[in-house]
Amino acid sequence: MTRKDEIESGEQSRVAFNDLMKIAELKENPFRRRICEVFSDDGSGNLTFDDFLDMMNVFSEHAPRDLKAVYAFKIYDFDQDQYLSKYDLEKTVRCLTKDNLNREELEMVCDKVLEEADLDEDGMLSFIEFEHVISRAPDFVRWVLCTNSTKGLQSIERKLLILHTDCNYQN
């Protein structure tokens, strides 16, 4: 399909997840797969240009903390059930530690998180409980969902535009 056909049909090309991983800032992020899945409108990890712009908006250092919190929660909610269960926490900790904890250490960390943050003691974190936790750690969301600088964002944007014009697109 040519670009003209796409515009006339209203369809958008997608940049494949594997092509997005050529962007160093995503390649280095331990949540790269989840980030792309969360921001792709179909959950595949393949982004339209609009999906990419939405992602960059959230990653911007100017995005509101509440917006960043919503997307951090979505990224950590691996099973997409609107709660952070022990399963989600384990996957999150594995990503953050590059899977360097043994089973006992992993369970200890997850149990400690639930002990500290699970206010209603149901064995999982709701968004409200998650928000409460990150409100006590002011740099948490900025650390998870920000690139280091506007220059870094511009670099990502340039690279995506290059990918957008050079890659084989999926429709």
Side-chain angles (χ1 to χ4, degrees):
M1 179 179 280
T2 67
R3 182 70 182 132
K4 181 182 175 205
D5 293 337
E6 284 176 20
I7 292 169
E8 289 173 359
S9 71
E11 291 183 36
Q12 290 190 24
S13 296
R14 295 181 180 279
V15 178
F17 173 77
N18 290 336
D19 292 327
L20 289 166
M21 290 308 96
K22 294 175 184 173
I23 300 171
E25 292 83 354
L26 277 175
K27 186 178 186 178
E28 300 302 318
N29 190 309
F31 295 98
R32 60 190 164 269
R33 165 71 58 192
R34 281 295 298 151
I35 290 168
C36 290
E37 289 170 353
V38 165
F39 282 96
S40 63
D41 62 356
D42 64 359
S44 69
N46 303 320
L47 302 180
T48 65
F49 191 68
D50 288 342
D51 295 337
F52 180 77
L53 293 177
D54 290 343
M55 181 176 68
M56 287 298 97
N57 180 47
V58 172
F59 276 77
S60 165
E61 57 193 59
H62 302 292
R65 180 180 174 83
D66 293 347
L67 182 64
K68 290 178 180 293
V70 166
Y71 278 94
F73 186 84
K74 287 181 179 187
I75 290 165
Y76 295 162
D77 184 14
F78 285 89
D79 59 12
Q80 301 174 17
D81 65 354
Q82 310 302 311
Y83 293 94
L84 299 183
S85 63
K86 193 163 184 180
Y87 167 81
D88 297 314
L89 294 173
E90 286 177 2
K91 287 198 66 134
T92 298
V93 171
R94 284 177 194 247
C95 283
L96 290 171
T97 64
K98 298 182 181 176
D99 213 10
N100 283 331
L101 298 180
N102 65 39
R103 185 75 194 146
E104 185 179 302
E105 293 168 325
L106 181 63
E107 284 189 25
M108 184 181 70
V109 169
C110 293
D111 289 343
K112 189 66 176 168
V113 168
L114 288 171
E115 179 184 316
E116 293 289 322
D118 184 15
L119 302 176
D120 61 6
E121 298 179 356
D122 63 354
M124 58 187 133
L125 301 182
S126 66
F127 178 71
I128 292 171
E129 291 167 322
F130 177 76
E131 261 188 321
H132 179 71
V133 168
I134 63 173
S135 71
R136 297 184 301 178
D139 290 337
F140 176 80
V141 174
R142 185 168 46 95
W143 175 74
V144 171
L145 288 177
C146 272
T147 58
N148 292 332
S149 66
T150 303
K151 187 176 181 181
L153 282 175
Q154 291 168 345
S155 170
I156 291 173
E157 290 167 352
R158 271 194 312 278
K159 290 173 185 174
L160 184 72
L161 287 171
I162 291 166
L163 285 172
H164 188 69
T165 55
D166 292 345
C167 292
N168 293 328
Y169 299 103
Q170 299 176 358
N171 286 318

